[in-house]
Amino acid sequence: MNTLKQNYQLKAVLFDVDGTLADTEQDGHRPAFNAAFKEFNLSWHWDIPLYGELLQVTGGKERIRFYIEKYMPKELSRNNLDEWIADLHKTKTRHFKKLMEQGGIPLRPGVKRLIHELRDNNIKIAIATTTTPENVSYLLESTLGKDAIDLFDVIGAGDIVLQKKPAPDIYFWVLNQLNLQPQQCIAIEDSENGLQAARAAGLPTLITVNNYTRLQNFEGAVAVLSDLGEPDQIFDPVSSLPVHLDKQWIDTESLRKLVDP
Ligand code: XBP
Ligand code: MG
């Protein structure tokens, strides 16, 4: 029996933001939440290990609610809790902006190189993230310059969809905007929640781990790497690679191979 194999050409790369483009969680979002708590005269403090636990819930507003439910249940009786959380979260976004403007959080290895290379090769690039849309601009502007947002063909972020990762909604939304099939694309993610979201949308998914996500379950990923790598700073495979890649940094060619071995 003949097995018909459909060949898919790589047409777009969908990037997650937090933890993938930059290590924003520990030294960006976490201190921004803590600064907002202080401004609201709350004695809450999210230290590094606690924040790791809270990261199981994506979305800042959702994360605050999860924290209240688990650790501060008395707060559940606050009047207009949803509005109060939204205000607290707006304050957090303001602090995140300030931190990004100070420029303390660089892009991860290989990110800038790959973005420019994909554009040069006419491969579309998109963002699919849970974070607030303004945060994407703050990070991109502080790392890639004022007009960096224009490098991206589609930006899917925050509350634009009803359900955040691990639900696939944001990936479906971005695929729809790109007018592409998932098999023509690859997602780049850093977390198990992100992998689940991308896989549920049918996307081949490459994982670059970070300190918060290294030990998570990445079954179903096309590859799991330390980072995207650079010619002078090669990646470490976290698990064995499914295909032979000629170089130990991710470029257009290696993404093509991972999508269609
Ligand atoms: C990112 C998130 C976000 C950020 C905070 O997840 O979960 O909630 O931590 O952003 P992913 P906001 O990388 O999987 O998209 O506070 O703006 O929601
Ligand atoms: Mg992420």
Side-chain angles (χ1 to χ4, degrees):
M1 197 177 77
N2 270 341
T3 45
L4 286 176
K5 185 175 178 291
Q6 172 108 39
N7 284 319
Y8 288 107
Q9 257 197 352
L10 181 69
K11 292 276 193 327
V13 177
L14 282 60
F15 288 92
D16 168 50
V17 174
D18 296 307
T20 300
L21 294 187
D23 272 323
T24 43
E25 293 293 8
Q26 181 178 307
D27 300 322
H29 291 294
R30 189 184 67 86
F33 279 112
N34 285 330
F37 301 156
K38 212 166 175 186
E39 204 175 312
F40 272 53
N41 287 319
L42 298 162
S43 59
W44 310 353
H45 179 78
W46 291 358
D47 62 19
I48 292 172
L50 172 62
Y51 194 66
E53 182 203 325
L54 300 175
L55 277 175
Q56 68 187 277
V57 176
T58 63
K61 296 188 284 294
E62 293 81 352
R63 190 169 298 142
I64 292 169
R65 180 175 275 280
F66 173 77
Y67 172 77
I68 292 174
E69 282 166 359
K70 185 154 181 199
Y71 293 104
M72 301 286 160
K74 279 194 189 135
E75 300 279 356
L76 287 169
S77 56
R78 255 181 202 279
N79 284 337
N80 304 319
L81 183 63
D82 281 346
E83 271 172 49
W84 183 79
I85 289 177
D87 279 350
L88 180 57
H89 187 252
K90 258 191 207 134
T91 306
K92 176 255 164 178
T93 301
R94 180 159 46 74
H95 283 286
F96 184 81
K97 178 182 186 200
K98 216 161 65 189
L99 282 166
M100 291 305 107
E101 282 170 352
Q102 288 162 8
I105 305 209
L107 295 176
R108 296 191 62 196
V111 169
K112 181 176 180 180
R113 172 187 52 75
L114 184 61
I115 286 173
H116 288 293
E117 194 188 309
L118 291 167
R119 284 204 56 95
D120 291 346
N121 288 322
N122 287 322
I123 308 246
K124 294 199 159 144
I125 55 173
I127 295 280
T129 176
T130 286
T131 205
T132 304
E134 295 94 295
N135 294 349
V136 181
S137 321
Y138 303 150
L139 174 70
L140 292 178
E141 280 169 22
S142 81
T143 51
L144 290 172
K146 199 168 69 61
D147 301 319
I149 206 96
D150 301 335
L151 292 169
F152 291 84
D153 298 278
V154 175
I155 301 215
D159 297 327
I160 200 163
V161 289
L162 215 54
Q163 293 204 70
K164 293 184 175 163
K165 298 173 189 175
D169 303 29
I170 195 69
Y171 279 108
F172 281 132
W173 188 90
V174 171
L175 284 169
N176 191 40
Q177 297 287 312
L178 288 167
N179 199 19
L180 290 173
Q181 297 301 312
Q183 300 90 335
Q184 299 172 295
C185 307
I186 188 165
I188 306 185
E189 274 284 355
D190 70 303
S191 70
E192 187 175 345
N193 276 328
L195 173 67
Q196 282 180 14
R199 292 298 298 135
L203 285 152
T205 308
L206 167 66
I207 299 290
T208 54
V209 297
N210 57 55
N211 284 343
Y212 273 132
T213 66
R214 202 171 303 278
L215 301 177
Q216 293 180 349
N217 178 5
F218 293 121
E219 211 180 313
V222 292
V224 185
L225 308 174
S226 55
D227 49 68
L228 295 172
E230 291 283 23
D232 61 353
Q233 193 188 339
I234 59 176
F235 62 65
D236 277 327
V238 173
S239 50
S240 57
L241 290 169
V243 282
H244 173 76
L245 300 178
D246 298 327
K247 317 166 194 97
Q248 262 181 281
W249 60 93
I250 292 296
D251 61 2
T252 313
E253 210 37 59
S254 34
L255 290 177
R256 284 199 177 111
K257 247 187 169 170
L258 288 170
V259 166
D260 190 16

